[in-house]
């Protein structure tokens, strides 16, 4: 490895004299190292033309290998440094609804793993009341739910507020309207979340409050499926603002319309945990990182 490093420096300096100065060894000592490497490999690495050195084909192969080893060594040291910074391997189990998993967790987990790369994160999904039960029964370390939970045995940390948006595909007749009201949603063909999901409960309460009867053509649990079908079927939908990233809107040729009533109907995504979680250093790290992340990004 040492001889290959020395050889690579000679190649890059194109001169034994310059390489010896850089390596802080005498030129004769450097020449002996190159000769030793050639003897070990059984090939000639340089063609010497006066004071100039030209690589042979075998020398080029050797130099490429030296660069690869240099890259691997640098990667190894970086990985080792991350290991030292992050400590030993650890794991944490998080419970979340499918919609929360799709809308909230990917960016949060990416942010967390950048700081603690050796953490193994396990995910369990369920409806909000099921996640609350999982936390109470210690089946998960932390729960993330689209609601604020008031239970004596649990801690609840609000992360961010969100509201629904009306999502329309290109070509929809509502796009050119100067104003859209809640009454316009009456009998409007829509694709909505399945009944029983937290977002659908929120929507049904909204429809009931404003006496709206939408024309529900499909009921689906998946954000991605709803987005694709809205574009394909040219129907409308209601989705949380937090999920509607700019790239997602552009790639699927969608238009967002903001209704005052929708913006006023907010929900809070919260992180919930039990007293037992406070005794777990990994849980505390995740809680602190989550609060910090949403403080910066919301």
């Amino acid at each position: 490895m040492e001889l290959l490093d020395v050889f690579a420096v000679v190649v890059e300096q194109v001169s034994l004299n310059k390489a010896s100065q850089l390596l802080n060894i005498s030129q004769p000592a450097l020449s002996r190292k190159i000769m030793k490497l050639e003897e070990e490999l059984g090939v000639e690495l340089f063609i010497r033309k006066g004071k100039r050195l030209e690589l042979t084909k075998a020398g080029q192969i050797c130099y490429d290998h030296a660069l690869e080893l240099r890259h691997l060594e640098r990667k190894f040291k970086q990985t080792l440094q991350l290991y030292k910074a992050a400590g030993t391997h650890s794991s944490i189990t998080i419970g979340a609804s499918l919609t929360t998993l799709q809308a909230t967790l990917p960016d949060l987990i990416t942010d967390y793993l950048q700081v603690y790369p050796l953490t193994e994160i396990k995910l369990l999904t369920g409806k909000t009341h099921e996640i609350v039960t999982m936390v109470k029964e210690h089946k998960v370390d932390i729960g993330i739910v689209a609601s604020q939970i008031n239970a004596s045995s649990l801690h609840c940390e609000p992360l961010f507020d969100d509201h629904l948006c009306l999502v329309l595909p290109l070509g929809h007749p509502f796009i050119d309207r100067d104003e859209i009201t809640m009454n316009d949603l009456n009998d409007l063909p829509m694709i909505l979340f399945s009944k029983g999901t937290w977002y659908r409960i929120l929507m049904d309460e909204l429809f009931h409050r404003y006496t709206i009867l939408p024309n529900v053509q499909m009921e689906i649990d998946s954000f991605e499926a709803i987005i694709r079908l809205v574009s394909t079927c040219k129907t409308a939908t209601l989705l949380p603002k937090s999920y509607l990233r700019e790239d997602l809107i552009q790639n699927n040729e969608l238009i967002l319309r903001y209704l005052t009533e929708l913006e006023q109907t907010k929900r809070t995504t919260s992180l919930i945990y039990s007293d037992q979680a406070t005794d777990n250093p990994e849980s505390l790290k995740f809680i602190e990182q989550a609060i910090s992340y949403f403080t910066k990004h919301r």
Side-chain angles (χ1 to χ4, degrees):
M1 186 70 183
E2 179 196 353
L3 292 178
L4 281 173
D5 286 338
V6 168
F7 165 72
V9 173
V10 174
V11 174
E12 289 157 1
Q13 297 301 312
V14 201
S15 162
L16 282 173
N17 183 40
K18 291 181 181 178
S20 66
Q21 292 176 12
L22 187 63
L23 294 168
N24 197 29
I25 60 175
S26 68
Q27 189 169 328
L30 179 57
S31 295
R32 286 194 295 271
K33 287 181 180 291
I34 297 299
M35 291 175 61
K36 183 179 179 182
L37 181 61
E38 288 179 322
E39 289 175 5
E40 288 182 1
L41 298 176
V43 294
E44 190 177 40
L45 299 174
F46 292 107
I47 298 174
R48 293 157 180 82
K49 294 186 177 180
K51 293 183 178 180
R52 287 183 53 79
L53 296 174
E54 292 185 6
L55 275 178
T56 62
K57 289 185 177 179
Q60 184 62 55
I61 293 171
C62 188
Y63 179 61
D64 290 342
H65 182 62
L67 290 182
E68 187 175 344
L69 288 177
R70 184 186 289 174
H71 172 73
L72 288 173
E73 183 180 13
R74 185 162 53 246
K75 186 176 180 181
F76 162 71
K77 289 180 178 178
Q78 289 173 345
T79 303
L80 192 61
Q81 190 61 38
L82 285 173
Y83 176 84
K84 290 178 180 178
T88 56
H89 284 274
S90 57
S91 66
I92 186 170
T93 304
I94 300 171
S97 67
L98 185 59
T99 50
T100 303
L101 178 64
Q102 292 174 313
T104 303
L105 277 179
D107 291 340
L108 175 57
I109 289 176
T110 299
D111 180 75
Y112 182 80
L113 290 178
Q114 286 176 348
V115 182
Y116 304 104
L118 299 179
T119 306
E120 178 187 6
I121 296 180
K122 302 175 183 178
L123 296 172
L124 296 178
T125 61
K127 293 183 171 58
T128 295
H129 71 276
E130 293 172 333
I131 300 302
V132 171
T133 300
M134 289 180 191
V135 175
K136 286 181 177 179
E137 296 178 352
H138 310 302
K139 293 179 180 177
V140 298
D141 299 303
I142 289 167
I144 298 181
V145 294
S147 180
Q148 286 188 284
I149 304 300
N150 184 13
S152 58
S153 60
L154 298 181
H155 300 271
C156 180
E157 295 283 353
L159 296 178
F160 64 92
D161 290 331
D162 202 2
H163 64 81
L164 296 170
C165 295
L166 178 63
V167 182
L168 304 169
L170 283 182
H172 195 281
F174 278 17
I175 287 178
D176 296 328
R177 292 193 180 189
D178 293 333
E179 182 182 4
I180 301 175
T181 67
M182 284 298 295
N183 286 334
D184 293 321
L185 303 187
N186 209 24
D187 205 33
L188 178 68
M190 302 184 80
I191 298 174
L192 299 179
F193 284 106
S194 300
K195 285 188 177 296
T197 58
W198 197 93
Y199 283 109
R200 182 56 185 275
I201 292 171
L202 179 68
M203 292 172 195
D204 287 343
E205 290 175 353
L206 191 68
F207 295 146
H208 178 74
R209 191 184 319 146
Y210 291 98
T211 320
I212 302 299
L213 293 174
N215 178 4
V216 182
Q217 298 193 338
M218 297 184 193
E219 297 177 319
I220 303 172
D221 284 339
S222 167
F223 274 116
E224 292 183 4
I226 291 175
I227 287 288
R228 291 178 183 176
L229 287 167
V230 162
S231 298
T232 302
C233 302
K234 301 300 180 185
T235 55
T237 190
L238 297 176
L239 289 176
K241 181 67 173 65
S242 61
Y243 179 73
L244 297 166
R245 303 183 307 275
E246 192 62 35
D247 60 323
L248 191 69
I249 296 167
Q250 292 179 357
N251 293 341
N252 290 278
E253 300 183 320
L254 302 174
I255 304 294
L256 303 189
R257 295 298 298 265
Y258 297 92
L259 281 67
T260 301
E261 296 87 349
L262 294 181
E263 293 187 55
Q264 291 174 346
T265 307
K266 294 183 178 180
R267 57 95 187 188
T268 301
T269 290
S270 304
L271 185 151
I272 57 175
Y273 57 96
S274 66
D275 287 332
Q276 182 174 306
T278 60
D279 296 328
N280 180 356
E282 302 310 318
S283 297
L284 289 177
K285 287 178 187 176
F286 190 89
I287 293 166
E288 292 171 0
Q289 191 77 8
I291 294 171
S292 172
Y293 176 81
F294 286 109
T295 298
K296 289 186 293 186
H297 291 84
R298 300 293 174 181

